[in-house]
């Protein structure tokens, strides 16, 4: 099967205004067939098959000769490499929301940890001050009368 008899299977798009838009790959495939069409009427038949005008084909031939196809392919590749599709945008939005949630949770955890640290310091200070005020730990049975009276006052028993 030769190249002329096989149809070009690259889809032709539409511009925003509804005009046909031919991808670079289609143009290259068409021009390859154009170069192979040497029989009488073959080029005209090729233009009719794809509903193209002579001016359009001439423009494509000039672009190929000047190297504009390769320039436009490089530009198109750069454009699609930098462009985000809707799935990428949705993923980015989802990840940004997740980062915001995690940052909020992290801030809450840090605040709770700070409060726990302050509470520990306060309780530690209370414990140290209460044990320091009591003096030596002597069992009440071994205390003198004055020590026993002070012990009763400290513990609010008298």
């Amino acid at each position: 099967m030769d190249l002329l008899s096989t149809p070009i299977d690259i889809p032709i798009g539409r511009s925003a205004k509804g005009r046909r838009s031919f991808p670079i790959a289609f143009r290259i495939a068409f021009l390859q067939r154009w170069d192979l069409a040497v029989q009488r009427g073959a080029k005209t038949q090729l233009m009719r098959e794809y509903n193209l005008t002579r001016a359009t084909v001439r423009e494509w031939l000039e672009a190929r000769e000047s190297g504009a196809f390769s320039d436009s392919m490089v530009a198109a590749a750069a454009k699609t490499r930098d462009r985000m599709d809707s799935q990428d945008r949705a993923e980015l939005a989802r990840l940004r929301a997740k980062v915001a949630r995690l940052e909020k949770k992290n801030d809450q955890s840090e605040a709770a940890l700070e409060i726990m640290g302050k509470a520990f310091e306060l309780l530690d200070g209370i414990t140290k001050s209460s044990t320091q005020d009591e003096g030596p730990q002597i069992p009440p049975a071994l205390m003198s009368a004055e020590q026993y009276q002070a012990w009763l006052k400290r513990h609010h028993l008298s």
Side-chain angles (χ1 to χ4, degrees):
M1 199 156 140
D2 69 26
L3 188 61
L4 277 176
S5 63
T6 59
I8 300 173
D9 60 350
I10 300 167
I12 299 170
R14 292 278 175 187
S15 70
K17 293 182 179 180
R19 297 178 67 191
R20 290 187 305 164
S21 172
F22 298 95
I24 299 290
F26 178 88
R27 295 175 190 190
I28 292 171
F30 181 85
L31 291 178
Q32 285 174 343
R33 286 187 170 85
W34 182 266
D35 293 338
L36 294 174
V38 290
Q39 292 180 348
R40 180 175 166 90
K43 291 184 179 188
T44 305
Q45 181 182 355
L46 192 60
M47 286 191 304
R48 284 183 186 154
E49 183 179 342
Y50 294 102
N51 195 21
L52 295 172
T53 63
R54 180 79 176 157
T56 301
V57 175
R58 187 177 24 247
E59 183 182 316
W60 291 354
L61 288 167
E62 289 170 4
R64 180 178 69 176
E65 294 301 317
S66 69
F69 277 169
S70 59
D71 294 343
S72 63
M73 284 190 287
V74 170
K79 188 176 182 182
T80 58
R81 184 174 53 242
D82 297 337
R83 185 186 299 182
M84 286 196 329
D85 62 359
S86 60
Q87 286 181 329
D88 290 339
R89 281 192 292 276
E91 176 80 3
L92 181 62
R94 186 184 65 76
L95 291 174
R96 284 182 176 166
K98 186 175 183 177
V99 165
R101 275 193 318 272
L102 291 174
E103 285 177 347
K104 183 178 178 183
K105 190 174 182 178
N106 187 37
D107 291 343
Q108 290 173 344
S109 298
E110 287 177 357
L113 193 57
E114 186 177 339
I115 291 169
M116 293 295 290
K118 289 180 179 181
F120 177 77
E121 289 174 10
L122 179 65
L123 290 174
D124 192 39
I126 291 172
T127 305
K128 285 181 182 176
S129 67
S130 66
T131 57
Q132 289 171 355
D133 293 342
E134 289 183 17
Q137 293 291 328
I138 303 171
L142 300 176
M143 292 181 184
S144 66
E146 295 95 26
Q147 289 175 333
Y148 187 65
Q149 281 297 325
W151 183 82
L152 286 174
K153 283 183 181 181
R154 267 196 316 267
H155 292 288
H156 307 288
L157 298 172
S158 68

